[in-house]
Amino acid sequence: MAMVRNWFCRALIIGCVLLSGCSQLPRASLYQQIGGEQGSEQLVDAFIQQIGNDPQILPYFEKASVAHFRAGFLAHLCAVLDGPCAYRGDSMEQIHRGMNINERDFNRVVELLIAAMNETQMPVTLQNRVLARLAPMRGEIIHL
Amino acid sequence: MKRFSRVLSVLFWLIIPWGAKAAEGKILATPGVSQIEGSAGGGIVPWAQLAGYASEDEWSLSGFCSRANLTDFRLDVCGVQANLFDHVEFSIARQQFDVPALNTQIEQQIIGAKWRVYGDIVYSTWPQVSVGWQHKSLKDGSVARLVGAETTSGNDFYVSASQLHLGAVAGLNWFWGVTARHTSANQLGLLGHGGEKSNTKWMVEASSAVFLSPYWAVGAEYRQKPDNLGLGETHWRDWFVAWFPNKSLSVTAAYLDLGSIAGAPNQTGWYLSFMGYY
C-alpha cells in the first residue's frame, strides 16, 4: 500500500512538472503554424482554385469579385487563427444574407477547404484545429 | 452463409452504382456505420446520427451486412435504412444466429425508426440528440420459450446523444456517443424478451472513437444488458477500426468480448461489416 502511494505521489509530481513545463513554452499561434502570411496566401489561393472548379459552389460567386473575396478571407483567417490582424470587413451574417445556403452546400465548401489544405500539404492535425475555429461560424452563414 | 454473400453482392453491384448518389450532404464518415440491430451507430450501440449522407433537403438509402464469429456462436445480419431529410431514419434488419452445438438457427427481424430531436454532431454547441424505437420479433420462438423467455417479440426505446469534437485529441477528431435504452430483450431479443427475473430496465451504452485521418477511425464500445433469464447475461464490449474510403462505402472490423451467452462463458471473437450508401 505504501509503495502504491509512493508511486502515486511520484507520478503526480512528474505530471505537475510536465504540465507546468508545457504551459511555460510559448505556443505558436495557429496563424504561425499554417505558415503566416505566405502560408495563408497559398491556402486561400488553392481554395479559390477549388471553388472555381466546383459546379455546385461556383454559382454563389457569380457576382463576387475574386480580389475582394481573397483579401477579405485572408484578413478573416488571420484574425480567427490568432494572427496579428484585426478583421474589419462585413460580418459573416452580412456577407451571406440572401444566399440561403443549405447544410449540403456549406459542407461542400468545407470539403473544398479541406482539399485546399491537402493541396498545401497541411498536416491533418493542423487542418482539424483550423476547422475547429471556423466550424462555430456555421450559424452565421447558413439559412440566411 | 449463402444469403449473406448474396445480399452482400447485391449491395455492391446494385445499390452502389459508383459515382451516382442520392445524397452527399454530410462530411465523410460523420453518419457512422450500422449497428447489428440495423440503426445507424457503431457496431453494437445506436448513435444519434441518422444513417446515410442525407442533409436537411436530401434523402438517402443505405444497406449493410455484418458477421460476428464467436467462440460458440455466429451472428449474420443484413439490413437497409432510409434517411428522410436527416430528420427520420427507418430501418429493417434480419438477424440469423447460428448455434452449431444445437444444430439450430434463430432468426429475428427488427424494424426501427429514429427521430433527430436536436443538433448536429459537428456543428451544434450541444450534442446531437435522437430518440429511437426498435421492434424485434423472432421467426420461431421455440428456443426463447425453452430458456424461459416471457415473449418472443418486444420493443426497445432509446435516447442517444453524440458529438464530434474537431481536433480535440492532439489535433485528432474525437467522437463520443451515449445511449440510454429501455429494454426487456435477452441477447438482443434472440432469446426472446423478459423471463423469471424479468424487469424492463434502462440500460446504458457508450461509444468513443478517434479519427486517425479523415478515412480511419479506431474506437471502443460498451453495452449494458439485463439478465432476465438468470443465465448470467453480461455487458458487451468491442474495439473497432472503421474505414471510410469515400461516401459510398465503409468497412468496419472489430474484436468482440460478449461475455456469457445462453450459459456459454467467454464469448469472444471477430466482427466484420460492410456498408453501402446511396
Side-chain angles (χ1 to χ4, degrees), chain B residues 39 89-91 110-115 131-136 154-158:
Chain B
S39 305
E89 166 196 297
F90 295 105
S91 59
I110 302 170
I111 54 173
K114 194 196 288 185
W115 292 266
V131 293
W133 164 71
Q134 292 174 340
H135 176 76
K136 304 163 170 189
N155 296 290
D156 285 4
F157 298 94
Y158 61 87

Side-chain angles (χ1 to χ4, degrees), chain B residues 124-167:
Chain B
S124 53
T125 317
W126 300 98
Q128 181 171 331
V129 176
S130 295
V131 293
W133 164 71
Q134 292 174 340
H135 176 76
K136 304 163 170 189
S137 53
L138 289 168
K139 194 177 169 195
D140 173 358
S142 52
V143 178
R145 288 226 166 76
L146 193 72
V147 294
E150 271 172 6
T151 59
T152 59
S153 67
N155 296 290
D156 285 4
F157 298 94
Y158 61 87
V159 185
S160 283
S162 316
Q163 194 155 25
L164 183 76
H165 299 270
L166 298 170

